[in-house]
Amino acid sequence: MALPEGFVRVPITEQDPKVRAGNFEEVCLGYTDEEAVLEASRCLNCKKPMCVEGCPVRVNIPGFIEALKGGNIEESYSRLSACTALPAVCGRVCPQETQCESKCIRGIKGDAVAIGKLERYVADKARSLGMKPVVTAAPNGHKVAVIGSGPAGLTCAGDLARLGYDVTVFEALHEAGGVLTYGIPEFRLPKEKVVRPEVENIRSLGVKIETNVIVGKSVTIDQLMEDEGFEAVFIGSGAGLPMFMNIPGENAKGVFSANEFLTRNNLMKAFRDDSDTPIYRPARVAVVGGGNVAMDAARTALRLGSSVTIIYRRSEAELPARAEEVHHAREEGIVFEMLTNPVEILTNDDKFVRAIKCVRMELGEPDQSGRRRPVPVEGSEFEIETDAVIMALGTSPNPMLSSATPGLEINKRRCIIAEETTGKTSREGVYAGGDAVSGAATVILAMGAGKDAAAAIDEYIRLKRTNL
Amino acid sequence: MYLIKRKEMLHSTIFLMDIVAPRVAKNCQPGQFIILRVDADGERIPLTICDYNREEGTVTIVTQAMGASTHKLMALEEGAYVQDFVGPLGCPSDLVTGDIEEVRKKKILFVAGGLGTAPVYPQVKWLHEHGIEADVIIGAKTKDLIIYEDDMRKVCGNLYITTDDGSCGRHGLVTQVISDLIEKEGKHYDLCVSIGPMIMMKFCVLTTRKYDLPTIVSMNPIMVDGTGMCGACRLTVGGEVKFACIDGPEFDGFKVDFDEAMDRMKLYRTEEGRALLKFREGDTHHGGCGNCGGDK
Ligand SMILES: Cc1cc2nc3c(=O)[nH]c(=O)nc-3n(C[C@H](O)[C@H](O)[C@H](O)COP(=O)(O)OP(=O)(O)OC[C@H]3O[C@@H](n4cnc5c(N)ncnc54)[C@H](O)[C@@H]3O)c2cc1C
Ligand code: FES
């Protein structure tokens, strides 16, 4: 039985799967003005907005939607941008279905309000109208260094700049944005249209961004604090180190980490004719893993002209990727081999990948994560012919910075140890957050950590000032 | 943007550049490398640091125009800028970080092949500044391709030059010189450092192994980020996977799987050839010759 009007969300236009499989244009085309206002009108403006509880940065969701209902973009954007530095990004890549939208009262008897799509609409519209976030405080002259320009670093920098701090972000790569720039592909998160303008907005708050600086190599945290006058440091260096399976054949030609494949394509723009960076475009690609990274690598390979198989050791229900991404991948023609685990990569005489040897798995007892542990089915070995293998098995924090910073404590997983609510580390004046602390997680959690740390850094510097 | 303060042609295709990069110049050590991008569409090119001037904030690199990107770099003159320049990357040479007294006890032989002479120079110079004179073999295809000869002479102990065609110094490969020095000329060494093309390092190690002469090599595989993020640079060393950019670039030569490392270099060969043709021929390159696949 179809739900009555008001219970169903306003549908959004997407590029046709057959067409988009051959291009790098965005999949989702976003709401039109009328659609956005119509969808906004579904928001009940609850007295006790549960959606805000579901958001790690506590965006004023009913507030910005309320302004949108009346078509007041300026007010809507000003409410939104006061809470988040990256609304056009979050509107596109946040797992709203498990966060804000999962708490929406509308969701009990019908579809939740499309909060993410509305956030995206407001941010995109504001950008097209040339609106910028506003600075609230006068400069206070205190210097703070931020390491890494991913969502954690950018959020922390933006918040501190609003409070009047003199903030410099140091980024190892030649372009700011972290995973938003090097990892998440163009068709989900356009770089020129979305990421760069949001980074520019943060610059417009007075934040300086110095690219090509690897803290721990080009300069140390001690040098920043002792020689360059930074009173506090925030570490948002992410979890960029790729994992491999350590199976035979993994160093053959045609085996890549998802990070390498995505970096070549996104940061280095290898998909464009005018880029000097090469990328491997064979007829067949196998991607190992089931997270967002695996989906992104698979859909990128598809767009570069390969036919793609995703190999995942658990079943459909355990796929860690967002449902939307899996759905999009399927629509585009990506094949899934579930309950399958690689054991060896086979090569031809020239040591190029020829096939991947796998075993079938079945689900056994639940493991620590609560998910049923996959166990190999004996004698079930089989080969999947492929010309390339992309390993998307997860990443861990890079020890380059921690090993060059005496007194900065890390745990067994090489994550920086930091206080949950403040990001305070074992070093005075040094705070950390995002994937560098949690291990690979999400954009919004990294932003939440950046936000909390900004507040803690502000308090730390104020306290130091009054104690002087 | 990073200023090219000085450019010097060392040969028709080999050139040196001093590039202004104060943070790198301040913190770099011999053995480390940098990554640069010529322009906004450029690839990230890793190059070993060949010298540095902490006061002037410059870092010296030496390279040869081979692919499209290095040709683009060679086309830049003094006063021009490169888009990006990041470093220092990788670990410093063990010689400069280890116990200097231990190093002093050793008789060290450097084996430099072709362009590899440039990165050998700062190590030999560093040792010289610390009162240690190391012997150096420089090998090249032919006389014109010998670089850094005069600079090296000023900072090393004995300098042996050899060319494949005999046009300068001894006649033959560096491996022959190693054997001759040890077997015929009564030299004894405790440590060898070999930097050059992979094939040279491979054969160098095969030779030094015969004499139980521990040998350090500097690996230069395909790289992207240079910070441990992509794994393009992975090598097998002593049966374990290592990332050249963070675990290296210097490794124990006896443990490196050179055959695998050399094989991995071939991955993008056709793509690189295509890019070079495109660069050389500009708009006149449309493929269709049937050879390069540029039309595909
Ligand atoms: C392919 C892919 C797809 C994803 N898809 C989603 C998604 O759809 N939704 C979602 O919510 N999350 C997604 N994630 C996860 C999300 O991107 C991360 O959780 C988030 O970016 C973490 O932010 P961060 O600021 O902590 O670190 P990062 O974004 O990793 O940024 C860290 C930055 O620090 C820099 N850096 C590291 N070390 C140094 C140093 N020593 N000096 C200077 N700079 C340094 C790095 O170069 C990098 O730019 C995805 C991740 C990947 C890889
Ligand atoms: S170059 Fe990317 S990990 Fe070494």
Side-chain angles (χ1 to χ4, degrees):
Chain A
M1 197 188 74
L3 286 161
E5 209 179 310
F7 287 82
V8 188
R9 92 173 26 172
V10 176
I12 201 156
T13 323
E14 288 179 351
Q15 252 201 93
D16 181 77
K18 285 204 193 66
V19 177
R20 73 184 192 234
N23 69 44
F24 278 90
E25 304 299 318
E26 225 184 332
V27 171
C28 171
L29 303 175
Y31 279 141
T32 62
D33 297 345
E34 296 75 35
E35 287 167 347
V37 172
L38 192 62
E39 179 62 18
S41 70
R42 294 183 58 235
C43 174
L44 302 172
N45 198 7
C46 306
K47 268 227 179 66
K48 216 174 133 235
M50 296 306 292
C51 51
V52 178
E53 303 294 314
C55 173
V57 301
R58 303 185 56 85
V59 166
N60 178 3
I61 296 166
F64 91 80
I65 295 184
E66 193 57 27
L68 180 58
K69 284 180 190 166
N72 189 345
I73 295 292
E74 200 165 340
E75 180 57 26
S76 181
Y77 178 67
S78 113
R79 290 179 188 177
L80 182 59
S81 64
C83 313
T84 164
L86 304 167
V89 170
C90 291
R92 286 173 166 80
V93 304
C94 269
Q96 292 98 7
E97 63 279 5
T98 59
Q99 297 181 162
C100 52
E101 292 177 14
S102 74
K103 307 264 166 131
C104 177
I105 301 297
R106 278 279 187 201
I108 299 172
K109 272 195 201 155
D111 292 340
V113 174
I115 302 172
K117 304 285 191 260
L118 291 177
E119 180 182 23
R120 164 189 167 146
Y121 168 80
V122 173
D124 286 1
K125 191 75 190 174
R127 175 171 4 95
S128 72
L129 296 172
M131 293 174 194
K132 298 247 164 224
V134 281
V135 191
T136 38
N140 65 22
H142 292 271
K143 282 174 75 178
V144 179
V146 169
I147 302 168
S149 63
L154 289 176
T155 301
C156 185
D159 276 18
L160 286 168
R162 279 172 204 277
L163 293 168
Y165 288 90
D166 177 1
V167 186
T168 307
V169 178
F170 296 98
E171 168 55 50
L173 294 171
H174 57 258
E175 173 109 33
V179 171
L180 310 179
T181 295
Y182 79 74
I184 304 181
E186 194 66 26
F187 54 84
R188 278 217 290 141
L189 188 61
K191 309 302 159 212
E192 299 285 336
K193 203 179 103 198
V194 176
V195 182
R196 278 205 191 155
E198 299 232 304
V199 171
E200 280 318 307
N201 281 348
I202 290 163
R203 273 209 183 96
S204 75
L205 296 170
V207 171
K208 286 166 269 192
I209 302 181
E210 207 183 309
T211 51
N212 295 323
V213 179
I214 303 169
V215 180
K217 292 277 186 193
S218 318
V219 66
T220 62
I221 287 186
D222 291 303
Q223 285 173 338
L224 287 175
M225 296 182 89
E226 282 157 29
D227 306 343
E228 300 193 26
F230 290 98
E231 293 172 53
V233 174
F234 173 75
I235 305 174
S237 53
L241 227 60
M243 289 180 218
F244 286 92
M245 293 190 80
N246 291 317
I247 55 172
E250 219 170 7
N251 282 0
K253 296 194 293 295
V255 184
F256 309 93
S257 73
N259 261 7
E260 173 179 358
F261 190 71
L262 291 170
T263 300
R264 283 181 184 275
N265 204 61
N266 303 334
L267 178 72
M268 306 309 297
K269 310 271 176 270
F271 69 95
R272 283 197 333 218
D273 281 345
D274 51 4
S275 168
D276 293 340
T277 301
I279 195 158
Y280 201 52
R281 303 173 175 227
R284 297 162 304 183
V285 170
V287 176
V288 183
N292 282 329
V293 184
M295 299 305 137
D296 284 345
R299 297 171 69 200
T300 298
L302 183 92
R303 283 161 172 76
L304 291 171
S306 306
S307 62
V308 184
T309 306
I310 288 181
I311 298 174
Y312 180 55
R313 64 198 180 114
R314 301 184 199 242
S315 71
E316 175 99 31
E318 288 86 11
L319 273 176
R322 287 183 65 192
E324 182 177 274
E325 305 308 325
V326 178
H327 170 70
H328 281 155
R330 277 229 166 80
E331 274 186 339
E332 289 163 10
I334 287 168
V335 177
F336 285 75
E337 282 284 352
M338 300 292 185
L339 288 167
T340 301
N341 204 29
V343 288
E344 184 177 355
I345 293 162
L346 307 168
T347 57
N348 63 18
D349 294 344
D350 294 325
K351 299 213 178 76
F352 276 94
V353 173
R354 152 177 95 67
I356 182 164
K357 190 173 166 189
C358 300
V359 281
R360 292 289 182 201
M361 308 292 276
E362 56 191 9
L363 293 179
E365 296 297 305
D367 62 14
Q368 295 139 320
S369 72
R371 298 180 299 178
R372 292 173 67 193
R373 184 198 303 274
V375 286
V377 177
E378 215 152 310
S380 66
E381 278 89 356
F382 70 106
E383 289 177 16
I384 299 174
E385 285 188 19
T386 187
D387 311 298
V389 176
I390 298 174
M391 293 292 181
L393 307 161
T395 51
S396 64
N398 197 328
M400 199 144 72
L401 176 62
S402 50
S403 63
T405 312
L408 185 70
E409 281 173 23
I410 57 171
N411 67 17
K412 281 201 298 279
R413 288 161 47 232
R414 294 197 288 217
C415 299
I416 297 171
I417 299 176
E419 227 174 67
E420 176 101 20
T421 50
T422 61
K424 208 171 151 200
T425 69
S426 55
R427 278 278 307 257
E428 191 190 326
V430 179
Y431 295 74
D435 284 5
V437 170
S438 60
T442 62
V443 169
I444 196 74
L445 285 171
M447 290 176 65
K451 207 177 182 60
D452 291 345
I457 289 171
D458 178 44
E459 194 183 299
Y460 165 75
I461 292 181
R462 278 170 193 278
L463 212 69
K464 224 176 60 170
R465 215 173 353 174
T466 46
N467 288 350
L468 277 185
Chain B
M1 301 287 265
Y2 301 78
L3 175 70
I4 301 169
K5 200 166 174 189
R6 183 170 76 96
K7 175 183 173 188
E8 189 185 325
M9 295 303 297
L10 305 178
H11 169 259
S12 63
T13 56
I14 302 178
F15 54 100
L16 170 156
M17 283 177 172
D18 287 344
I19 295 181
V20 179
R23 288 196 189 278
V24 188
K26 184 172 174 195
N27 287 298
C28 68
Q29 297 281 359
Q32 292 184 293
F33 64 99
I34 58 95
I35 284 186
L36 68 76
R37 274 196 340 143
V38 177
D39 56 33
D41 304 319
E43 49 179 339
R44 294 173 64 93
I45 318 173
L47 297 169
T48 315
I49 293 171
C50 301
D51 208 350
Y52 45 85
N53 186 322
R54 305 214 200 273
E55 285 72 46
E56 294 191 4
T58 55
V59 175
T60 307
I61 48 130
V62 172
T63 190
Q64 181 164 23
M66 284 191 293
S69 300
T70 41
H71 270 99
K72 270 198 206 168
L73 182 61
M74 188 167 79
L76 296 180
E77 296 301 336
E78 268 175 26
Y81 293 81
V82 293
Q83 181 81 25
D84 296 293
F85 193 91
V86 61
L89 296 157
C91 304
S93 160
D94 280 347
L95 291 175
V96 309
T97 51
D99 178 356
I100 186 81
E101 291 314 317
E102 285 303 310
V103 177
R104 253 184 246 287
K105 287 185 203 145
K106 290 188 174 133
K107 188 72 194 148
I108 304 170
L109 174 67
F110 282 87
V111 180
L115 267 190
T117 314
V120 159
Y121 174 70
Q123 301 203 19
V124 177
K125 181 177 150 192
W126 188 94
L127 290 171
H128 174 75
E129 285 165 357
H130 290 77
I132 303 163
E133 305 298 319
D135 285 359
V136 178
I137 302 173
I138 298 179
K141 273 210 187 73
T142 182
K143 185 170 187 237
D144 289 350
L145 292 168
I146 291 175
I147 56 170
Y148 267 81
E149 182 182 345
D150 297 334
D151 293 309
M152 195 71 87
R153 210 177 284 286
K154 289 184 199 133
V155 293
C156 72
N158 297 310
L159 180 64
Y160 309 97
I161 306 248
T162 184
T163 45
D164 295 3
D165 62 0
S167 54
C168 181
R170 301 178 184 215
H171 188 174
L173 302 174
V174 290
T175 45
Q176 186 61 47
V177 182
I178 300 172
S179 295
D180 286 349
L181 288 177
I182 294 174
E183 287 183 29
K184 300 195 184 139
E185 297 169 42
K187 298 279 181 191
H188 170 82
Y189 296 103
D190 304 297
L191 179 70
C192 172
V193 179
S194 172
I195 307 183
M198 275 201 205
I199 183 86
M200 182 210 86
M201 294 192 285
K202 172 183 165 172
F203 281 99
C204 185
V205 163
L206 286 175
T207 306
T208 54
R209 199 194 286 274
K210 282 196 291 201
Y211 306 110
D212 270 333
L213 172 58
T215 302
I216 305 288
V217 294
S218 178
M219 301 301 285
N220 48 353
I222 294 173
M223 290 193 183
V224 183
D225 57 296
T227 64
M229 210 180 85
C230 75
C233 63
R234 62 196 192 277
L235 307 164
T236 303
V237 181
E240 277 178 57
V241 175
K242 297 278 179 196
F243 286 8
C245 69
I246 44 173
D247 301 317
E250 298 194 352
F251 291 100
D252 177 347
F254 291 173
K255 294 192 177 155
V256 172
D257 183 341
F258 281 102
D259 291 340
E260 180 190 273
M262 287 183 326
D263 181 58
R264 286 181 58 80
M265 299 288 281
K266 294 181 198 150
L267 181 61
Y268 293 110
R269 201 155 276 175
T270 48
E271 265 110 316
E272 274 160 14
R274 231 176 265 166
L276 180 61
L277 275 180
K278 204 168 93 188
F279 172 80
R280 285 209 180 128
E281 299 175 8
D283 282 344
T284 63
H285 178 74
H286 295 298
C289 63
N291 291 324
C292 73
D295 49 338
K296 296 227 172 69

